[in-house]
Every structure is written in C-alpha cells, then in structure tokens.
Amino acid sequence: MPDRRTAVVTGASSGIGAATARRLAAEGFAVVLTARRAERIEKLAAELPDAEAYPLDVTDRAAVNAFADHLRSTRPSVEVLVNNAGGALGTDPVAHADPSDWRAMYEVNVLGVLNMTQALLPALTASGDGTVVVLSSTAGHGTYEGGGGYVAAKHGAHVIAETLRLELCGEPVRVLEIAPGMVQTEEFALTRFRGDQERAAKVYQGVAQPLTAEDVADTVGWAVTRPSHVNIDLLVVRPRAQASNTKVHREG
Ligand code: 8X3
C-alpha cells in the first residue's frame, strides 16, 4: 500500500478542527493534529487510524519552526495544511474595545496562519501536490456591529489566502479558503464571551439549525479531495436560517 498523504490540522482539539481531523482521516489521510491542549488531541489521535498529536501554539513562531523540522524528519511528505486555529474575543464596539483583545485575535487568526503557512510551504511544494486551506469566516467578508476586532482579523486571513494564491500561481500548491457563517460548537461563542454560558447560548437562540462542526468539516473534506487541478478558491457556507452576517431567522 502506498504511503498515505499527510494532512496537518491546527486547532484540532475541538470544534471544526477536531471534526476536520476526523473527516480527513476518513478520507484516508494520515493526520497530524496540533493544538495547545495536548490531552485533547492525544485522545482524538488515538481514535483515528493513522494520526499523531503534536502540541503546538501557532502564535509561537519558534515552536512552529520546530514542528516543521519534526515533520521533515519523520514524514516523507506533507500534502495538506488546514489553518483552522483561531477565534473571537469579545463583541465590544470599536469605541470601547480592548486593544489587547484585538492583538490576541490578530496573533492567532492572522499571524498563526502566516507562521504555519511559511513553515510548511517548502514541504507542501516539495510534495508536488500541496494544498493550503484557510478556514476564515463570513466575518472575513463583511462586518457587523460588535464584530470589529474579529472581523478585522478574519479579513486578514482572507487576504492571506487571496495573496498567497496569486504568489503561488505556477507552483504545485492550491490555496483554498472556506468561510463558515454561524457554526454552533462547544467553544467558539463561549470563548468569545469569556465563559459566560448565557451570552454564548443567546448567539444560537431560536436558530433552527446552525451549522455543526461536521458540516464545515464536510466542505473541507470535499474541497481537498477535488482533483489537483481544481482549486476551490472560496467557499462560503452558512446555515439556511442565516442569510447574511446581520440577517438571521430566529423562531419563538
Ligand atoms: C464565526 C462567524 O458571525 O460569529 O466565524 O463572526 S461570526
């Protein structure tokens, strides 16, 4: 049996990242799960047929470079990088937002993608058939009140995908962007509201069926398994009940 193709997923400890790791494993990839929380990724990796857990903070450039060295010395090739690690902090208006929240969001949503992409690009190119996935957000394509820092950061992630695709044109590497709208996961809203369960629950209140992490993982699995010459530049995915960033149908 030929060696499996290898996919690296960041933020694989929960939500979309964990679901994507499962989905890519089901598609036959050897999966390298990275996230800060070692225990979670180790548990998930143990459930998958050919998976490795590597604890990593994507904002730590030295650690990311050490991870790339580790991949070089342990794997014949790396074909797919899924830049999923990210998140939102707060919904404060621009007039009052805390710059440290904005900085933290820029670090993970933009510089995290930059660090990982720069570190793995040589391996992705050398594979002869590489794919970079940027999990951005509908927040990278339009704004909403209170979105400020997150929207700015996700626009940054979108710009990385667009720019990289231009710069890599002619190289054997695709750049895909998947921009999910409302996805109900265990942690996204809870992190945004700093553990306030009530406020987090309100985000999804009355929405018939927000997307699940598996819905988004399904789009990643589909996009990365298209024939090599097919580049899904941008895939925007929302629940039916969400027509735009600011128009959501709520029942009751
Ligand atoms: C999450 C979508 O609407 O909370 O990336 O910004 S939203």
Side-chain angles (χ1 to χ4, degrees), residues 136-139 144 150-151 154 180-183 188 192 242 245:
S136 64
S137 166
T138 47
Y144 54 91
Y150 182 62
V151 165
K154 284 299 190 183
M182 184 183 280
V183 187
F188 176 81
R192 180 170 225 172
Q242 184 185 33
N245 287 5

Side-chain angles (χ1 to χ4, degrees), residues 47 52 57 82 136 139 211 213:
E47 292 172 27
E52 173 191 358
D57 176 350
V82 181
S136 64
L211 296 179

